[in-house]
């Protein structure tokens, strides 16, 4: 590994907030769910997207629509950095080149360094990405960090990995309907982790 990912490195590369040393890693799937990934060109040509019901139209996303998933996570991050003032961050914020450390290894290291980690999966989330990235991380850190992990997905999202996570890794899994509800649940989760650290139920990472 060319770059050593540590808590100090992450903190140094993030902006200042009230609780600088409380790192909350927010992660989304690699890709956004898009039927263009799974349909052939001939199949796509036979479908008039504009004639489809709204929920189905959402499965045919243009790149600008796909980018909404990251913008969504940025809004969540901003809310958490303001209140309660924890150091919420995305992988991109640490600015480690994937040529130095591949994306999955980065996520594993960010999870190990963080006080709390949330897999946030909106309806746009591509189920293949959910299973690939989350599964790799959970295999590596769930035994030691499961009390610091939560998996929060929009009600419309379904995945075999999500269904099995609670049993296989004893992972906290929650759902949300609105952005405001998601923010509230992440704030409560972060607050619970912080309190458990203060009471000594979870070890302090510094």
């Amino acid at each position: 590994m060319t770059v050593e990912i540590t808590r100090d490195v992450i903190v140094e590369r993030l902006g200042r907030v009230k609780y600088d040393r409380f790192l909350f890693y927010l992660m989304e799937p690699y890709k956004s769910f898009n039927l263009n990934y799974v349909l052939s060109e001939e199949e796509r040509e036979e479908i008039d997207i504009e004639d489809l019901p709204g929920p189905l139209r959402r499965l045919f996303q243009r790149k600008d629509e796909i980018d909404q998933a990251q913008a969504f996570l940025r809004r969540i991050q901003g809310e958490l950095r303001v209140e309660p003032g924890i150091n919420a961050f995305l992988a991109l914020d640490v600015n480690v080149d994937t040529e130095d450390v591949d994306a999955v290894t980065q996520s594993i290291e960010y999870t190990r360094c963080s006080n709390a980690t949330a897999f946030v999966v909106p309806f746009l989330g591509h189920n293949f990405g959910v299973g690939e990235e989350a599964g790799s991380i959970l295999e590596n850190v769930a035994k030691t960090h499961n009390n610091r992990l939560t998996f929060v997905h929009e009600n419309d999202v379904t995945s075999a990995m999500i269904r099995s996570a609670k049993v296989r890794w004893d992972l906290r899994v929650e759902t949300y309907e609105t952005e405001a509800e998601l923010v509230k649940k992440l704030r409560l989760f972060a607050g619970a982790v912080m309190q458990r650290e203060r009471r000594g139920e979870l070890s302090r990472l510094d």
Side-chain angles (χ1 to χ4, degrees):
M1 183 183 296
T2 306
V3 178
E4 183 180 4
I5 297 174
T6 65
R7 283 178 55 82
D8 287 336
V9 166
I10 296 172
V11 171
E12 287 171 5
R13 297 187 179 189
L14 302 178
R16 297 301 179 189
V17 291
K18 183 177 181 180
Y19 300 106
D20 284 340
R21 303 298 296 184
F22 190 94
L23 298 177
F24 194 167
Y25 177 35
L26 299 175
M27 186 167 53
E28 64 180 346
Y30 280 130
K31 299 177 181 178
S32 293
F33 189 83
N34 185 335
L35 282 180
N36 290 315
Y37 284 116
V38 296
L39 296 178
S40 67
E41 183 176 349
E42 293 76 14
E43 289 171 327
R44 292 197 300 270
E45 288 177 352
E46 293 177 1
I47 297 174
D48 188 340
I49 298 175
E50 295 304 318
D51 287 341
L52 294 173
L56 290 180
R57 282 202 306 273
R58 292 177 66 187
L59 300 181
F60 291 84
Q61 303 295 329
R62 300 188 306 271
K63 184 181 184 302
D64 61 329
E65 292 172 323
I66 290 173
D67 290 342
Q68 292 176 13
Q70 188 175 107
F72 170 78
L73 208 58
R74 284 295 186 194
R75 292 195 300 272
I76 303 303
Q77 175 192 16
E79 294 278 359
L80 295 171
R81 291 178 70 83
V82 171
E83 179 62 42
I86 55 180
N87 219 344
F89 71 99
L90 279 58
L92 293 173
D93 298 332
V94 188
N95 196 28
V96 174
D97 198 318
T98 53
E99 292 186 3
D100 294 328
V101 185
D102 68 87
V104 172
T105 301
Q106 283 188 37
S107 287
I108 291 171
E109 294 305 314
Y110 295 152
T111 301
R112 284 177 174 155
C113 290
S114 295
N115 300 76
T117 296
F119 300 90
V120 180
V121 189
F123 180 71
L124 289 172
H126 192 305
N127 291 354
F128 298 146
V130 174
E132 180 180 0
E133 186 167 18
S136 296
I137 291 169
L138 292 170
E139 286 288 357
N140 282 273
V141 302
K143 288 184 179 179
T144 56
H145 286 67
N146 69 318
N147 289 322
R148 299 181 183 273
L149 295 166
T150 187
F151 203 119
V152 192
H153 64 93
E154 194 169 356
N155 284 340
D156 291 336
V157 176
T158 59
S159 164
M161 204 293 297
I162 295 174
R163 289 191 294 271
S164 66
K166 193 169 186 178
V167 175
R168 182 172 181 179
W169 292 291
D170 192 25
L171 184 67
R172 174 186 181 132
V173 178
E174 295 196 58
T175 62
Y176 70 92
E177 292 185 2
T178 66
E179 191 169 316
E181 183 183 6
L182 172 60
V183 170
K184 180 179 180 181
K185 288 191 174 184
L186 292 178
R187 281 175 174 156
L188 289 172
F189 175 67
V193 172
M194 190 176 289
Q195 288 299 320
R196 294 188 70 184
E197 287 183 348
R198 288 173 176 169
R199 293 195 299 263
E201 297 172 13
L202 287 175
S203 60
R204 293 182 178 270
L205 299 185
D206 288 320

